[in-house]
Amino acid sequence: MKPKNENAPIVIIGAGLGGLAAACTLSARGHRVVVCEANEWTGGKAAEWAQEGFRFDMGPTILTLPSVLRRIMGESGSRLEDRLDLRRLDPQWRCFFDDGRALDLVEDVATMAAELERRAPGDGRGYEDLMAMSEKLHEVSRRFVFWKSVGGLRDTLDISATLSPETMRDVLALRMHSTLGREIRKRIRNPQAVQVFDHFTQYVGSNPLQAPAVLTGIAHMQVDEGIWYPIGGTRAVPVALRKLAEENGVVFRTGARVTRILHDAKSVHGVQLASGETLEASAIVSSVDGSRVAREK
């Protein structure tokens, strides 16, 4: 849609991690940006609870794929290392069981396979096979989705290449008929190890027995780039992103709930806030749940 007022700023709805990333990127590319956030804080799920001198992360506790943050910050000519103090974790996590035993998830595939083999013969080879599949799924997702701007089907799929043997092999590799939980259980017998690997989707809020098999790619993401802890907690990530965005001139409006996207049949031209105020916009980026946007547009 062509905007009515091309001189108006881009309005971003929501200052979670996605909204902050969009604000950093768009402002680095020369756009004026206003971010509207319903809460009094920014960071979305990466919130914190502070009481009696203590603070706790209320959302995620670890960071994966630091290359994403490196790319966002690089748009402004900044180095990730200058903005965040990240510490690589290995073991990546430790699981404790009712029988008193524990099992570490370690980064090195051979070391992990040897430990699994010691506990249940055959699981070492099963884990190596799982990781080989994970690497393939991660690579397919990177090519088709991960680094692409997805505004529609054409952005994801090159129709002219759809029927090529290479594309068909990639589509079949996605195992759309299967789930992450099923792929794990086909290869791993030890029930405690199964629980450890189920956690690949549990820690992002999905049920491994229902999550699509393509999410098995998370396992390779963690081996490839590692798992990291930001000093200051994961709350340090949105703090760093907001600081960078503000250095680029981004304006943050907290306590500013958007109730409606103003548009006609051809273009968007602003947003309406719960207070009754309207803000002009040359474009709108929504970083809130799609169902909410559908209700409030």
Side-chain angles (χ1 to χ4, degrees):
M1 292 183 178
K2 185 177 180 181
K4 285 188 174 182
N5 184 356
E6 295 184 354
N7 295 319
I10 296 174
V11 172
I12 297 175
I13 306 173
L17 293 174
L20 291 169
C24 290
T25 302
L26 289 168
S27 58
R29 296 181 184 183
H31 298 283
R32 290 173 54 221
V33 178
V34 174
V35 181
C36 293
E37 168 56 50
N39 295 307
E40 295 298 335
W41 73 89
T42 53
K45 294 180 176 64
E48 69 174 359
W49 175 39
Q51 184 175 340
E52 298 178 2
F54 298 93
R55 58 163 303 280
F56 302 89
D57 283 322
M58 298 296 288
T61 55
I62 53 177
L63 186 147
T64 58
L65 296 180
S67 59
V68 176
L69 284 174
R70 183 170 287 108
R71 179 167 174 171
I72 292 167
M73 294 179 177
E75 291 269 357
S76 298
S78 293
R79 296 174 67 248
L80 173 61
E81 294 76 12
D82 296 333
R83 297 278 175 170
L84 281 168
D85 184 359
L86 301 179
R87 307 295 174 91
R88 195 163 188 150
L89 304 180
D90 195 19
Q92 297 185 330
W93 58 59
R94 174 170 295 163
C95 293
F96 299 90
F97 301 96
D98 290 342
D99 62 5
R101 302 182 76 189
L103 179 59
D104 290 348
L105 178 69
V106 299
E107 188 175 301
D108 183 72
V109 173
T111 302
M112 189 75 220
E115 175 60 22
L116 294 174
E117 185 68 23
R118 186 183 69 79
R119 295 183 180 221
D123 277 7
R125 180 174 294 180
Y127 176 70
E128 291 173 338
D129 184 62
L130 182 71
M131 293 304 299
M133 183 190 76
S134 173
E135 182 175 5
K136 174 65 174 176
L137 292 176
H138 184 199
E139 176 57 30
V140 172
S141 66
R142 275 193 293 208
R143 286 206 309 275
F144 281 95
V145 178
F146 202 78
W147 293 111
K148 290 189 176 183
S149 175
V150 182
L153 181 61
R154 290 184 179 181
D155 292 331
T156 303
L157 193 62
D158 181 355
I159 303 299
S160 64
T162 298
L163 298 180
S164 72
E166 293 80 8
T167 301
M168 294 306 294
R169 278 196 296 270
D170 286 341
V171 170
L172 291 174
L174 294 177
R175 300 173 188 252
M176 288 184 253
H177 62 285
S178 188
T179 67
L180 175 138
R182 184 183 302 166
E183 295 300 322
I184 290 170
R185 286 158 178 78
K186 281 164 51 177
R187 296 167 173 82
I188 306 296
R189 293 188 303 162
N190 182 342
Q192 292 182 342
V194 167
Q195 284 186 275
V196 172
F197 302 135
D198 275 349
H199 200 54
F200 286 131
T201 56
Q202 288 174 318
Y203 84 92
V204 294
S206 297
N207 181 341
L209 296 176
Q210 296 178 340
V214 68
L215 292 183
T216 311
I218 293 173
H220 183 258
M221 291 178 189
Q222 294 185 182
V223 167
D224 187 35
E225 291 197 36
I227 279 184
W228 301 77
Y229 180 77
I231 297 302
T234 47
R235 180 67 190 159
V237 176
V239 169
L241 289 174
R242 177 168 177 171
K243 185 175 186 294
L244 176 59
E246 288 178 328
E247 290 173 6
N248 290 345
V250 175
V251 174
F252 285 87
R253 298 279 303 271
T254 55
R257 180 180 295 277
V258 173
T259 57
R260 189 177 181 188
I261 296 174
L262 305 175
H263 65 93
D264 55 32
K266 294 183 179 180
S267 64
V268 295
H269 52 86
V271 297
Q272 184 175 53
L273 306 183
S275 65
E277 181 184 1
T278 60
L279 301 177
E280 280 194 300
S282 60
I284 293 171
V285 176
S286 175
S287 183
V288 299
D289 293 337
S291 58
R292 181 174 297 173
V293 175
R295 289 196 306 269
E296 297 179 352
K297 69 180 181 180

